[in-house]
Amino acid sequence: MKQMFFKFIFLIAFTCIFAACNSNSVNNNKETSDSAKVRQLVYDWNKAFISNDSNAFLILLDDSIQYYGFQQYKSNLMEAELSIFKKYPDFKQEIYGDVKIDTLSKAEAICSFVRRITINHKSLDYPTYLIFKKSLEAWKIVAEGDYISKNDLTNKSNIPKDAVLGDYNGDGKLDYMWLVPPKIKSGNEEFDCVGECDSYIKFSDTSLSLIKIENCIGGQPFNHGDLNKNGTDEIGLLPEWFTSCWSDYLVWTFRNGKWIYAVEPFPTHCNQWEEGVIPIEIDFKKEGYVIIRYSEFSEKTDNWTKSKSVKIIK
């Protein structure tokens, strides 16, 4: 009877140990699998960046990303990152050394690595991190940053989500810009502002002067990249107003410490914006020129959108 009892106890103990080992094995395998997936995603991110692959970014990035201390929408971030290639045609990036997984759980992974960036034949190394979160069995990038600028950037908490990245003064550093609209009167007093109906484009680099836009109650600034090859990103804006579908498109460049129009403001109608027409881009057939797309009223046709090549101020 005692032998039967001890055999029974031994069988239970063996079964428990086997189950525990098997469970640990499954968990370890899953952890190893997730580690491999996340590590590969870092290389996929690097490949998407150097190949200028917007479709790959769409898959890798979450809808909103903490980008070097600031929350950014996916679309804004993609525009900013991919515009680097327009500004620096010789831009190169590589992951130098190994990718380390600092933290790994069922829902989050933090990876660190050295990001080597080469511009104008000069290379700099940045200790970079990517944070992934798992959503519906897919890992998405929710944060990107480096350990050099992290402390400085996180102190700037007054930058809105729709701020746009760019190098607007040519100092080689990325800054943010955003529009500060006027306060609109409420109640029965419609179509009026508290004070002047002027907006201002503001920058995270406080050494940059504000851009004043008169008779403007809103709008989203756009980074057009370096259109005139002077080392700075040009800024575009379609000013909003209470009424009318017509509005001049404005493009600024930074020259000798001041904001000036890169081209003369040109008229646009809401039809061309609804059709997704690009308002301005480099004319690659004519150095120092850009192609602008503007609107011109005509009773003979419904297509009011025209285009022409104009000289851009450098």
Side-chain angles (χ1 to χ4, degrees), residues 27 39 73 86 113 124 246 252 266 300 306:
N27 288 335
R39 186 175 281 107
Y73 293 115
K86 294 180 181 178
F113 51 93
L124 291 173
W246 288 93
W252 294 274
F266 50 93
K300 297 180 180 180
K306 312 290 182 183

Side-chain angles (χ1 to χ4, degrees), residues 145-161:
D146 66 59
Y147 294 104
I148 295 174
S149 57
K150 184 179 179 182
N151 293 331
D152 294 334
L153 289 172
T154 51
N155 291 331
K156 299 177 181 177
S157 58
N158 60 338
I159 296 177
K161 287 185 177 181

Side-chain angles (χ1 to χ4, degrees), residues 208-272:
L208 288 171
S209 59
L210 304 181
I211 300 176
K212 181 180 179 181
I213 308 100
E214 297 181 352
N215 300 320
C216 171
I217 60 170
Q220 176 60 50
F222 188 84
N223 180 355
H224 284 289
D226 192 0
L227 295 172
N228 56 9
K229 304 300 180 184
N230 70 342
T232 70
D233 292 335
E234 274 61 69
I235 298 170
L237 178 72
L238 179 68
E240 294 178 359
W241 192 243
F242 296 107
T243 59
S244 182
C245 253
W246 288 93
S247 182
D248 282 355
Y249 193 69
L250 312 175
V251 183
W252 294 274
T253 188
F254 194 70
R255 183 184 182 190
N256 298 327
K258 295 181 180 180
W259 296 106
I260 61 172
Y261 287 132
V263 295
E264 286 297 315
F266 50 93
T268 65
H269 189 267
C270 56
N271 285 352
Q272 86 172 64

Side-chain angles (χ1 to χ4, degrees), residues 172-189:
K173 299 178 181 178
L174 292 177
D175 303 307
Y176 284 85
M177 69 164 172
W178 63 95
L179 189 82
V180 180
K183 185 177 180 181
I184 307 299
K185 286 185 178 180
S186 58
N188 296 326
E189 300 175 86

Side-chain angles (χ1 to χ4, degrees), residues 131-143:
I131 300 177
F132 295 84
K133 283 198 175 179
K134 203 171 191 179
S135 175
L136 300 176
E137 298 303 314
W139 290 96
K140 297 286 185 180
I141 297 173
V142 295

